[in-house]
Amino acid sequence: MYKTALLKIKRDLINNNNIEIIEQTKAIKQAAELIVENEVVAFPTETVYGLGANALQEKAVLKIFEAKGRPTDNPLIVHISRREQLFKLIKGCILKVADKLIDEFWPGPLTIIFKKSSQVPQITTASLETVAVRMPSHPIALALINQTELPLAAPSANSSGFPSPTSAEHVYSDLNGKIPLIIDGGICDIGLESTVVEIQSEQVNILRPGAITMEMIKKVVGNTHLVKTINLKEHVKPKSPGMKYKHYSPSTPLWIVKKNSSITKILKKNNINNEKTLIIVSSETLQNLKLNQIKARIKNLGSINDLNYIAKNLFKILRESDLEDFKLILIEEVSQKDIGIAVMNRLTKAATKII
Ligand code: TXA
Ligand code: MG
């Protein structure tokens, strides 16, 4: 049992993006000391909060799995702050196409899978021969990595199976007593986890969609490689082991409502038009609902024209909904374009039904 400390870094320091100054804060100094002592620390990234430990120390990484209750066959992403740190982690040279992706998208929400070096312990990669690496863009994450001078293994800082945390409060509610420190850097900008890609000789596979979209990757890769999204169904043995787990799930059953379905009809037909049902819909749909016919509770998902806002708030809405005593949550599907693809990927994994 730990007494979990919360140390805040001020918004103006984050906005100024001055990593050297952030490195000198009490929060970073204390966090770096803990990491060097093989402890775990939660910290913000531009995607979601991560739970970090020295990626090269087995006993430190083991504490991540314990705190999250994560199955040990699900490998972690290793976070770096400088490109040179890659060479210790990977085997062989960096392919040209990987170089292009790094140039364009690092630091940022893109995770790339490489062949792993023998320095990375088996526990970090769940015994895979590959290692997933990303350079986050959040100044707190970069300052922490700089200050420790270590690559940090960091999954999302939620309890396994819960939605990823997008604020320090989310981390606290999942991991209070299980970790020594949370660095509070406010709300994460993107709100969904990084895009994960695997590079083959003629193909780039997107194993998990995120803020770096297929179109963005295609533009950089050019015509040397095909870019494909890999669906779990296409693989009996999942390529990205995390894909086989039911993820991001609120504990209340969740139905995705298709664009053309009528919410009022669904409520009536399933006899669920009561205050134990929550419907989460776009502001546009909300305007067209006949509110006098609806007894279910309603939450606004945001405008269908602002997919970034929807992505940023999705896990927060799912978490908040779970705190109340609903028997069922209905959520409206969003367009499968831009970050909407990642939103629908997470929702589909969390859903119990698509109607
Ligand atoms: O945005 C993010 O990526 C956040 C922040 C904290 O950086 N991290 C994150 O980590 O989402 P996690 O552990 O929740 O998700 C990592 C995903 C899992 O689906 C895992 O299976 C996959 O990456 N992964 C990790 N190493 C892999 C590897 N060597 N090969 C294939 N997939 C891998
Ligand atoms: Mg996760």
Side-chain angles (χ1 to χ4, degrees):
M1 226 9 210
Y2 291 97
K3 186 168 171 1
T4 305
L6 266 160
L7 288 178
K8 200 176 174 80
I9 294 184
K10 288 199 192 109
R11 191 79 244 169
D12 53 343
L13 279 186
I14 299 169
N15 290 345
N16 283 342
N17 208 24
N18 189 329
I19 297 160
E20 282 87 37
I21 291 178
I22 295 177
E23 275 179 54
Q24 300 312 317
T25 57
K26 185 176 152 211
I28 293 292
K29 293 265 184 200
Q30 210 159 306
E33 256 172 49
L34 285 163
I35 300 262
V36 170
E37 288 162 8
N38 292 328
E39 286 297 338
V40 297
V41 168
F43 61 95
T45 82
E46 71 281 19
T47 57
V48 299
Y49 274 72
L51 183 60
N54 181 354
L56 305 178
Q57 271 295 334
E58 185 178 316
K59 74 174 186 202
V61 175
L62 188 62
K63 287 182 186 166
I64 296 177
F65 286 94
E66 284 170 357
K68 278 183 63 99
R70 179 178 174 114
T72 48
D73 64 348
N74 194 2
L76 306 179
I77 295 172
V78 179
H79 297 66
I80 59 175
S81 60
R82 284 174 295 108
R83 219 192 247 222
E84 304 83 81
Q85 286 175 303
L86 247 189
F87 299 109
K88 201 170 176 182
L89 303 172
I90 69 173
K91 192 164 80 180
C93 57
I94 300 175
L95 296 173
K96 213 170 168 188
V97 62
D99 237 351
K100 282 192 194 169
L101 292 171
I102 290 173
D103 279 342
E104 185 69 23
F105 298 120
W106 281 7
L110 179 73
T111 297
I112 304 176
I113 298 182
F114 299 92
K115 288 209 177 69
K116 107 177 175 59
S117 80
S118 57
Q119 305 243 16
V120 183
Q122 300 285 355
I123 185 165
T124 304
T125 63
S127 302
L128 293 177
E129 287 309 306
T130 52
V131 60
V133 186
R134 126 171 158 87
M135 187 189 292
S137 63
H138 197 297
I140 294 181
L142 293 170
L144 181 62
I145 302 166
N146 282 349
Q147 195 59 210
T148 57
E149 296 183 339
L150 290 168
L152 300 184
S156 48
N158 51 291
S159 281
S160 200
F162 281 66
S164 290
T166 55
S167 71
E169 290 76 22
H170 294 163
V171 180
Y172 190 81
S173 100
D174 280 18
L175 300 180
N176 179 23
K178 295 183 173 162
I179 59 172
L181 175 64
I182 301 166
I183 305 177
D184 182 353
I187 293 167
C188 300
D189 275 346
I190 295 172
L192 295 180
E193 310 85 346
S194 62
T195 306
V196 178
V197 296
E198 165 199 63
I199 295 166
Q200 297 177 332
S201 54
E202 290 174 350
Q203 200 164 302
V204 174
N205 291 327
I206 300 177
L207 304 184
R208 179 174 74 183
I212 306 293
T213 61
M214 177 185 259
E215 281 65 37
M216 291 161 80
I217 294 172
K218 275 186 178 161
K219 251 191 203 157
V220 172
V221 165
N223 49 20
T224 61
H225 286 65
L226 265 180
V227 184
K228 266 192 92 176
T229 299
I230 302 287
N231 288 318
L232 181 53
K233 281 181 214 124
E234 289 177 33
H235 288 269
V236 182
K237 187 168 183 280
K239 287 222 162 197
S240 195
M243 299 200 305
K244 77 178 177 186
Y245 298 105
K246 190 166 165 284
H247 247 171
Y248 323 109
S249 45
S251 49
T252 318
L254 178 80
W255 294 2
I256 297 174
V257 179
K258 285 205 193 137
K259 279 229 178 75
N260 301 327
S261 304
S262 149
I263 296 215
T264 330
K265 274 190 193 147
I266 292 172
L267 290 174
K268 277 202 189 116
K269 198 172 156 203
N270 293 277
N271 204 14
I272 50 170
N273 190 9
N274 58 59
E275 68 283 359
K276 289 283 173 202
T277 302
L278 170 68
I279 53 183
I280 307 174
V281 290
S282 67
S283 31
E284 287 81 2
T285 299
L286 188 54
Q287 277 184 348
N288 293 321
L289 281 178
K290 295 198 181 77
L291 293 178
N292 58 350
Q293 291 177 20
I294 293 182
K295 297 198 184 75
R297 281 269 306 281
I298 304 171
K299 277 191 191 182
N300 190 341
L301 185 59
S303 167
I304 45 171
N305 298 317
D306 192 351
L307 290 170
N308 290 332
Y309 174 89
I310 292 179
K312 183 170 177 172
N313 283 281
L314 181 71
F315 288 147
K316 175 172 172 264
I317 285 200
L318 292 182
R319 278 180 175 264
E320 283 171 358
S321 307
D322 229 14
L323 291 177
E324 297 173 66
D325 193 24
F326 296 114
K327 289 229 160 58
L328 181 65
I329 302 170
L330 269 58
I331 188 165
E332 183 181 350
E333 95 179 309
V334 304
S335 298
Q336 297 259 8
K337 62 168 194 203
D338 305 329
I339 203 169
I341 292 174
V343 170
M344 285 312 295
N345 168 273
R346 308 310 190 268
L347 276 182
T348 311
K349 282 186 183 162
T352 45
K353 194 168 175 174
I354 300 174
I355 193 161

